[in-house]
């Protein structure tokens, strides 16, 4: 038996600094007992009130209006990424939010979401969210926070705000903007810095260079016949990317519309580059030169002699589609490049056709990098005496900020997690989740939405408006009052307010078109290429944890990255050429040195990456993310802060990299699995990819039901954004398993997106294929299950009856598509998210049970009930289908000749996966067609 | 080249009915076990205890403690099951098939062989239950009236397998026990200690050796033998169908049932030799287990090895002759992938090495035969590794390719079954007559 070691006082104080004061004054026994009794009494009373607003509490003898047990309620709100809103509708059961869907009425959503939006539920219920305020990293009480604000107000008033700074992310919210303005009006010397770790400064500055003032550019991909995307983030993270995905896909299936042609020039694979027709691979430092050459061509100037030979046909194609062409640049290119792109678009007649220019969406557009540098300088010089940080994890991103933060005497941090910045600040205030408070925000086109609370605060956080109003006086404005005040003019009357909440959009709030003229000098701008270094390191946000804010979100951590399929890690992506030159293999640990700083991390050889490019993914190596996200991967932000020579040296160690593609299958030929061809071939014979090899059947059983559920998956539309994968996890309570289990090939995703390469790894054709249970009519899994745990219903669903399953796992062996997942351990029980966050309509599976895609059978049951009750036709939307920005999935009744799924199954591109297996799947695919320029020799 | 050689006698000259009874019953009625017995027994028991520990943790934490994964959903449990059930076949082949064929050399071997069968079948029998994700529900495989109003899925090869295995195990126990009844009666009558008289008396079920009893006994024994002989073929065919019944790459092959029967016979005879060779020496049974037996078993081993070689060749032929690209890809990984050593180990141990049995000098040399048999047993394990795991690693879709990462629990469970087998065999040879006395007496009587 280990002896009971009571820590001594020093040890206690080290662990719990807040105990320092009481331990300094020892108490006698009598006084201790008195205090204990008082604590017991007050604690008991306190337990009655979970910190909810003080209102009348009546037990629910009469059910709350609108809440019917077992029936979902849906409320519109918005999800923010770097300040920009995308409309969502949150599904509730008995008052608890369980699922996010897109808001069809919202212009940035059109009914779809991205992966981040789907994962908001996980964040909302995250048990690691901060529940208590902190002082210098140690827990404190709310009273101390009030006192601190008192001090702050005195301080601000005495100096008119001199030395006081407010640090926020990009603000599009009129209410928060107004609250900040109010603070700055009261204390005119106070300064406001907007700063996001992943900067879009160049886009802003480019617009200013081109038009003399900030404007927001809105591409219309559905109107563009030819798109030139240079290192573009149009489909993954540009504000409005969910909508752009829809517009992109509208022009990608030749069976339904005239195909657009997408050229991408990029150093590392992007969603649009992979989904497009031509991918020209170039190091980032060569992009300005390439852009210049294209501009010269378009503007009829003599092109430089050393321009790559594909530039001439691309320029010719752009010029041939005047008014239907579009050039888009990613945020990593310099401002001059963006200005030149504006000039190019004007020259191509894009403005007003494929490109709209509107008044800026941000509350106060500003160059973020420069003002953050000012703040850093001020902090380091000791000139910053008060700092209010609203949900920016600057200490994690910037080691300089982290070092200087303790020198700010009055630093207040508002954040949903007690993150790295919170631990360095004098005062930390837990932030209410967007689902817990009132707010507003604008979308990429300026359309505003009200963010309405979806739940009472789970952990009692405060909102940004409350905290800002504390700077003005002791009584805080409630967030609701602040939002209503902002929208008094438009939404003054109750009906308008109600409608705006119900719709999730505020009518006519979109930005007006900007009346600007291109400055003539924009055309003559020359773009400077950065100085050459042997290895160019690009710092990019991670596709799943973004700038690090989703670090504690297990759904995002275990989300396979679109092309590498890596999870739970951020190895350095090196090009195949660089790997060959340095003798690097996947999983080799390297020391990445840059300007005196270094990081130790594994390498991953990224096919299709430019030869001298290494991509460092940001957002990892968190130390205060929470139990899930701490110490996952390496933090590469410190290297971004410095510049200098780059070196990569092997340490000799090998590091396992968890991926959901467990064996490198890049040599395998995907020809029949993922059928693809060119538009020319398609035009010659639209059915040319349809040669089926379905053999004769001895016993062909066709499910006899009135309804026949089926799905069609359009490979032309899939961009690999992963929204469907997270949506499936959220809808179907699919557990995460953790890095060690993924390393042992045991991930649980019901829906996966397969990635195949064709061609050399230096420049492969990348092909994506969403794969889920194919719901075979002749399902091989069913006949081998000895206990009939997997059976067919008459509507054609291949059902998995969890309670019957004894775990022989023969069904998985016999599944040609390998879509079945097995609970090797009690994954659902081991998950860190609380049970109340799960979808109550879907069983959580226990240990030893097989599971797989059910076509969202719970939604089908809902449709069936509605049909029985109201006589309406059965219509169901699966979770993946609902989330997909590009409408890859089409699901419905195959007996309904008018349905979209039937129309898609009649497409000449329709084919069955592995037809020789004679499984007769209910899921079919539409083959991928690319539209390459015949003038460019691949 | 062997035809010219004289046949060795089945029993050493000079053995009488009385000497058979005396010698063999003395072995079972010994007061103290041999030293070698303890030296073998204690490590076996240790292995068994390790296995029990591994299984206890398996029940506590789930099959995730093993190396199975996606897509390799079957692993050591299935390998172990097929391996042990194949080993078990040896006893049934010898005691049932060769009983029906009235072969005289069978008499010396059938008791050891059947005891071996029993222990191997026990090892095989526990694996399917351990294999389950929810082992406590294994009885749902029985077709019994239940509250779920559900019959098992009779189209599933696993149900066929369950029925075949259960039938086989029960029949093996009955066959073994029935063969023992007259010998138990002999031991009861020869026992000096009261404990032995009681113990063997109860086991002999009141057998007194009357003419009527013998008449019934012989008739029913023949019937059981007639049931057992086809059963051993059917159980291995059905084990083959466990795989062939699936669409899985590498499994979907019509030749699997005979392939599994050949493999079973090979490993069965190898295990019989593996046990008989040391026992013959340690228990001084040279008079009953003569060179003749070694010769016969060696020839049988060689025959099975040739049959199996044919099956292996056909496996490769149909793969490359057939149209399935996934099959070819998978077979390529067998031949020259990272686990190619498994395939080539299989060929070396099961096909190449047993060719030494063509030589009479090798067949009669205990040590080389013993080593070859041991390697055959290992080779048969490798063959099942190749069928179960190598096949599953490479499926139709390259995106679902995976590998298998064996864990300590896989090995511990395997070691546990080895421990169970050895412990069982050692206990049985200690308490039951290692040679069927009444049949040996008959043999001696017929061949003075």
């Amino acid at each position: 038996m280990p002896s009971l070691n009571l820590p001594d006082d020093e040890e206690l104080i080290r662990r719990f600094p807040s105990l320092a004061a009481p331990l300094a004054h020892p108490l006698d026994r009598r006084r201790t007992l008195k205090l204990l009794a008082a604590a017991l009494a007050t604690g008991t009373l306190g337990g009655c009130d979970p910190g909810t607003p003080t209102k009348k509490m009546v037990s629910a003898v009469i059910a709350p209006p609108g809440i019917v047990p077992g029936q979902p309620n849906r409320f519109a709100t918005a999800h923010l990424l770097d300040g920009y809103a995308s409309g969502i509708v949150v599904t509730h059961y008995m008052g608890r939010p369980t699922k996010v869907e897109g808001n069809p009425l919202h212009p940035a959503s059109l009914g779809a979401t991205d992966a981040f939006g789907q994962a908001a539920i996980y964040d909302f219920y995250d048990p690691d969210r901060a529940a208590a305020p902190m002082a210098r990293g140690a827990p404190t009480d709310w009273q101390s926070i009030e006192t601190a604000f008192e001090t702050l107000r005195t301080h601000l008033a005495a100096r008119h705000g001199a030395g006081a700074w407010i640090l926020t992310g990009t603000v599009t919210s009129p209410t928060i903007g107004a609250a900040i303005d109010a603070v700055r009006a009261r204390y005119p010397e106070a300064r406001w810095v907007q700063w996001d770790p992943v900067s879009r400064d160049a886009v802003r500055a480019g617009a200013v260079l081109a038009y003399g003032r900030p404007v927001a550019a809105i591409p219309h991909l559905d109107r563009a016949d030819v798109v030139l995307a240079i290192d573009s983030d149009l489909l993954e993270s540009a504000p409005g990317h969910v909508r752009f995905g829809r517009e992109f896909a509208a022009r990608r299936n030749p069976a339904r519309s005239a195909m657009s042609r997408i050229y991408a020039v990029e150093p590392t694979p992007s969603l649009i580059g992979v989904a497009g027709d031509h991918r020209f691979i170039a190091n980032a430092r060569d992009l300005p030169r390439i852009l210049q050459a294209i501009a010269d061509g378009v503007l009829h100037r003599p092109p430089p002699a050393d321009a790559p030979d594909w530039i001439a046909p691309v320029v010719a194609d752009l010029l041939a589609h005047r008014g239907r062409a579009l050039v888009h640049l990613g945020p990593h290119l310099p401002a001059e490049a963006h200005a030149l792109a504006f000039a190019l678009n004007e020259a191509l007649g894009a403005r007003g056709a494929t490109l709209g220019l509107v008044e800026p969406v941000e509350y106060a557009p500003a160059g973020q990098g420069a003002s953050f540098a000012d703040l850093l300088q001020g902090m380091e010089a000791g000139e910053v005496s008060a700092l209010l940080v609203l949900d920016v994890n600057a200490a994690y991103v910037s080691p300089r900020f982290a070092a200087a933060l303790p020198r700010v005497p009055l630093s207040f941090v508002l954040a949903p997690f007690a993150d790295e910045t919170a631990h360095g600040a004098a005062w930390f205030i837990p932030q209410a989740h967007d689902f817990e408070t009132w707010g507003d925000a604008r979308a990429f086109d300026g359309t505003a939405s009200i963010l309405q609370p979806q739940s009472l605060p789970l952990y009692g956080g405060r909102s940004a408006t409350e905290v800002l109003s504390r700077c003005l006086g002791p009584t805080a404005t409630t967030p609701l009052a602040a939002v209503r005040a902002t929208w008094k003019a438009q939404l003054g009357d109750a009906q308008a307010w109600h409608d705006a909440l119900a719709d999730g959009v505020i009518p006519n709030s979109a930005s007006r078109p900007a009346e600007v003229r291109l400055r003539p000098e924009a055309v003559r701008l020359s773009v400077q290429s950065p100085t050459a270094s042997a290895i160019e390191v690009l710092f990019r946000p991670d596709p799943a944890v973004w700038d690090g804010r989703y670090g504690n979100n297990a759904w995002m951590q275990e989300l396979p990255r679109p092309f590498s399929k890596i999870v739970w890690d951020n190895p350095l992506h090196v090009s195949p050429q660089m790997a060959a030159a340095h003798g690097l293999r996947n999983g080799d640990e390297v020391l990445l040195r840059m300007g005196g700083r270094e990081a130790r991390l594994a390498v991953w050889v990224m096919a299709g990456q430019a030869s001298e490019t290494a991509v460092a993914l940001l957002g990892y190596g968190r130390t205060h993310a929470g139990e899930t996200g701490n110490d996952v991967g390496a933090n590469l932000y410190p290297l971004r802060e410095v510049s200098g020579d780059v070196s990569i040296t092997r340490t000799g160690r090998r590091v396992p990299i968890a991926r959901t593609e467990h064996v490198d299958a890049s040599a395998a030929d995907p020809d029949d699995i993922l059928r693809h061809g060119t538009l020319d071939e398609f035009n010659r014979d639209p059915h040319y990819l349809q040669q089926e090899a379905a053999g004769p059947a001895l016993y062909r059983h066709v499910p006899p039901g009135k309804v026949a559920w089926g799905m069609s998956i359009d490979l032309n539309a899939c961009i690999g954004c992963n929204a469907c994968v997270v949506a499936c996890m959220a809808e179907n309570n699919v557990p995460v398993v953790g890095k060690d289990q993924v390393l042992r090939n045991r991930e649980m995703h019901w829906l996966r997106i397969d990635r195949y390469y064709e061609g050399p790894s230096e420049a492969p054709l990348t092909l994506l294929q969403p794969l889920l249970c194919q719901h075979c009519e002749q399902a091989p899994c069913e006949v081998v299950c000895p206990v009939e745990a997997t059976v067919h219903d008459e509507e054609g669903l291949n059902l998995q009856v969890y309670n019957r399953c004894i775990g022989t796992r023969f069904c998985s062996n016999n599944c040609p598509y390998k879509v079945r997942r097995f609970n090797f351990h009690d994954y659902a029980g081991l998950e860190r998210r609380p049970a109340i966050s799960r979808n109550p309509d879907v069983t959580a599976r226990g240990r030893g049970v097989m599971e797989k895609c059910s076509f969202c059978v719970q939604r089908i049951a809902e449709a069936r009930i509605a049909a029985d009750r109201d006589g309406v036709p059965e219509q169901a939307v699966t979770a993946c289908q609902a989330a997909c920005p590009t409408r890859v999935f089409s699901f419905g009744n195959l007996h309904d000749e008018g349905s979209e799924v039937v129309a898609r199954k009649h497409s000449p591109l329709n084919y069955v996966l592995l037809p020789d297996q004679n499984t007769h799947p209910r899921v079919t695919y539409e083959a991928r067609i690319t539209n390459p320029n015949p003038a460019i020799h691949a | 080249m062997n035809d010219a050689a004289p046949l060795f006698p089945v029993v050493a000259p000079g053995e009488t009915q009385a000497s058979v009874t005396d010698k063999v019953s003395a072995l079972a009625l010994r007061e103290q076990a041999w030293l070698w017995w303890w030296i073998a027994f204690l490590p076996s028991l240790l292995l068994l205890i390790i296995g029990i520990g591994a299984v206890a943790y398996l029940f506590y934490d789930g099959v995730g403690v093993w190396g199975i994964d996606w897509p390799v959903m079957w692993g050591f449990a299935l390998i172990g099951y097929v391996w042990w059930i194949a080993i078990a076949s040896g006893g049934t082949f010898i005691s049932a098939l060769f009983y029906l064929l009235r072969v005289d050399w069978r008499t010396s071997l059938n008791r050891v062989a059947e005891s071996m069968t029993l222990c191997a079948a026990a090892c095989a029998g526990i694996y399917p239950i351990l294999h389950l994700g929810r082992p406590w529900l294994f009885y749902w495989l029985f077709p019994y009236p239940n509250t779920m109003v559900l019959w098992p899925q009779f189209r599933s090869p696993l149900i066929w397998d369950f029925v075949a295995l259960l039938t086989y195990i029960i029949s093996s126990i009955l066959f073994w026990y029935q063969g023992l009844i007259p010998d138990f009666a002999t031991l009861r009558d020869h026992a000096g200690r009261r404990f032995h008289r009681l113990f063997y008396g109860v086991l002999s079920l009141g057998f007194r050796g009357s003419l009527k009893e013998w008449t019934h006994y012989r008739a029913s024994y023949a019937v059981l033998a007639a049931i057992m002989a086809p059963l051993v073929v059917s159980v291995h065919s059905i084990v083959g169908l466990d795989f062939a019944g699936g669409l899985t790459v590498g499994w979907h092959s019509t030749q699997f049932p005979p392939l599994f029967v050949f493999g079973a016979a090979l490993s069965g005879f190898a295990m019989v030799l593996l046990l008989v060779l040391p026992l013959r020496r340690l228990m001084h049974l040279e008079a009953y287990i003569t060179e003749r037996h070694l010769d016969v078993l060696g020839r049988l081993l060689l025959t099975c090895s040739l049959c199996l070689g044919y099956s292996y060749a056909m496996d490769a032929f149909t793969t490359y002759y057939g149209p399935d690209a996934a099959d070819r890809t998978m077979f390529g990984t067998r031949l020259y992938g990272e686990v190619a050593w498994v395939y080539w180990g299989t060929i070396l141990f099961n096909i190449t090495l047993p060719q030494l049995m063509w030589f009479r000098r090798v067949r009669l040399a205990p040590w080389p035969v013993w080593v070859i048999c041991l390697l055959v047993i290992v080779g048969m394990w490798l063959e099942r590794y190749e069928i179960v795991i190598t096949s599953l690693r490479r499926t139709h879709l390259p995106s679902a390719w995976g590998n298998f990462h064996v864990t300590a629990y896989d090995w511990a469970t395997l070691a546990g079954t080895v421990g169970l087998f050895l412990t069982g065999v050692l206990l049985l040879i200690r308490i039951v007559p290692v040679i069927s006395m009444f049949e040996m007496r008959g043999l001696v009587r017929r061949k003075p």
Side-chain angles (χ1 to χ4, degrees), chain B residues 306-317:
Chain B
L306 289 172
C307 292
L308 199 60
Y310 169 79
S311 293
Y312 289 171
M314 289 318 289
D315 207 17
F317 172 74

Side-chain angles (χ1 to χ4, degrees), chain B residues 196-229:
Chain B
H196 281 150
R197 280 205 302 279
L198 264 176
F199 181 70
Y200 293 113
V202 168
L203 286 175
S204 62
L205 301 178
F207 189 87
R208 281 166 301 140
S210 72
L211 192 62
K212 201 173 164 189
E213 278 177 348
W214 276 114
T215 314
H216 290 313
Y217 178 83
R218 289 198 189 284
S220 57
Y221 191 74
V223 167
L224 260 181
I227 292 174
M228 283 301 290

